[in-house]
Amino acid sequence: MLNDHALHHCTFALLNMNNHLDLVKISSRKKTNPSSSHLLKIRHETVVNTMHVISENRGRRLRPDADAAVGVSTKSAKTTSKSAKASSSSCQAKLDTCQAVAAAPKWLFVQIADMCTLYRNEDGEYHIESSKFHKKTEWFTDRPFHLEATQPTSEWFKNFEELFDDEDGMPNAALTIVHDDTSKDVVVSVFAEGYIKDKEGGGGDEGLTYGYKLDQSTSQESVMSLEALMDGEDSVTLDHCSMFIDVVGGVSKGAVWHSSDQIPDR
C-alpha cells in the first residue's frame, strides 16, 4: 500500500497528465482522424478512474478501522475498570482502619506519690522520683467512653517504653505539687523516660524507687518551668505529687497488661 507521501506524488502526476490530455483532446478536435480521438477518450477516462481509486485509497488510510477502534476502546474500558476497583478496595481498607482506630477507647492515667524528690543532675536533666508511689495506677477513658481500670504501678513502669511506642512520642503529664499542706503549683512536662531503681537491701516492690526523666517543651516551660518550681535549688523534696498522664490509644492487652485486672474492651 502506498504511503501518504507517495500518494501525493502520484495524484500530482496524474493531475498533470489529465491536464495534458485535455490539451491534446482540444488540439485533436481540429483533426479528422477518428481513431486518435477515440484513443484520447479512453486514456482520459482511465486517468479519471485511476484518480478516483487513489482518492478512495487515501481516504481509507485516513479513517481508522472501526473494529480496531472498538477493540482499543474495550481494552481501555477494562483497564480503567480494574484500576477503579483497585482504588476502591484501597480506599475501603483505609476507611476500615480509620473507623477501627476511632472506635477504640483512648486511655489516660493517674498516679499519686508521697515524698517526691525533684532534682536536676550534672547534665542539667530534670527528674522526679519517689519510693512511695501508690501501688495502683488508675486508667480511665477519654470521651465518649466511660471506662476505668487499674494496673500495678510496678508493671506500669516496666512496660512504660512499650506502652508509648506508637510513633506519637512520649506522653505529656501535668504534675500537681503539695508541700506543707499547701497546693503549690501545677507544672506540665513530657515524661521522656520511665524507670525503676532498686534500693540496696530492699526486697520486692517495697524496695523500689520509681522515677521519670522530665523534658519540657518551650511552650510548657513558658507557662511554668521546672527551674522556677525548684526556686533555684538543685533538689527539692515535696510532701505529695500527682501525675495526670497523656492519652494513649489502641492498647494491646497482651503487650502491656499482665495483672489479674483486665482492661475492658467497651
Side-chain angles (χ1 to χ4, degrees), residues 17-164:
M17 184 184 295
N18 186 44
N19 292 335
H20 178 72
L21 289 173
D22 286 340
L23 293 174
V24 172
K25 183 178 179 180
I26 293 171
S27 175
S28 66
R29 289 175 184 171
K30 298 178 181 181
K31 299 178 181 180
T32 58
N33 189 340
S35 61
S36 298
S37 177
H38 180 69
L39 179 60
L40 288 172
K41 182 177 181 180
I42 292 174
R43 290 179 178 174
H44 182 268
E45 290 174 351
T46 300
V47 171
V48 171
N49 289 337
T50 302
M51 289 179 63
H52 180 69
V53 170
I54 291 174
S55 177
E56 285 187 344
N57 184 50
R58 185 183 182 91
R60 189 178 298 113
R61 286 176 56 82
L62 294 175
R63 291 191 299 271
D65 183 81
D67 293 336
V70 170
V72 171
S73 177
T74 302
K75 290 181 180 178
S76 177
K78 289 180 178 179
T79 302
T80 302
S81 177
K82 288 181 180 179
S83 177
K85 287 180 180 179
S87 179
S88 176
S89 298
S90 176
C91 289
Q92 185 61 48
K94 290 179 181 179
L95 178 61
D96 291 343
T97 301
C98 290
Q99 288 177 339
V101 171
K106 294 178 174 58
W107 294 87
L108 299 97
F109 316 95
V110 180
Q111 294 176 327
I112 56 177
D114 296 323
M115 302 300 292
C116 303
T117 300
L118 180 64
Y119 69 93
R120 179 175 52 225
N121 65 18
E122 295 177 354
D123 297 326
E125 299 172 339
Y126 290 91
H127 294 255
I128 189 165
E129 296 178 351
S130 176
S131 60
K132 296 185 178 182
F133 266 86
H134 194 277
K135 292 183 178 180
K136 296 287 185 179
T137 294
E138 300 296 323
W139 296 46
F140 67 99
T141 52
D142 199 3
R143 298 178 302 169
F145 299 97
H146 304 286
L147 307 174
E148 183 180 2
T150 62
Q151 180 183 25
T153 298
S154 58
E155 291 187 7
W156 160 271
F157 277 96
K158 288 176 184 176
N159 296 292
F160 180 81
E161 298 291 336
E162 186 177 357
L163 179 61
F164 292 98

Side-chain angles (χ1 to χ4, degrees), residues 160-193:
F160 180 81
E161 298 291 336
E162 186 177 357
L163 179 61
F164 292 98
D165 184 19
D166 56 3
E167 299 182 356
D168 288 335
M170 292 293 104
N172 298 296
L175 303 173
T176 61
I177 308 298
V178 176
H179 193 60
D180 292 334
D181 294 327
T182 302
S183 296
K184 187 171 182 180
D185 255 312
V186 176
V187 61
V188 176
S189 176
V190 174
F191 278 2
E193 180 185 342

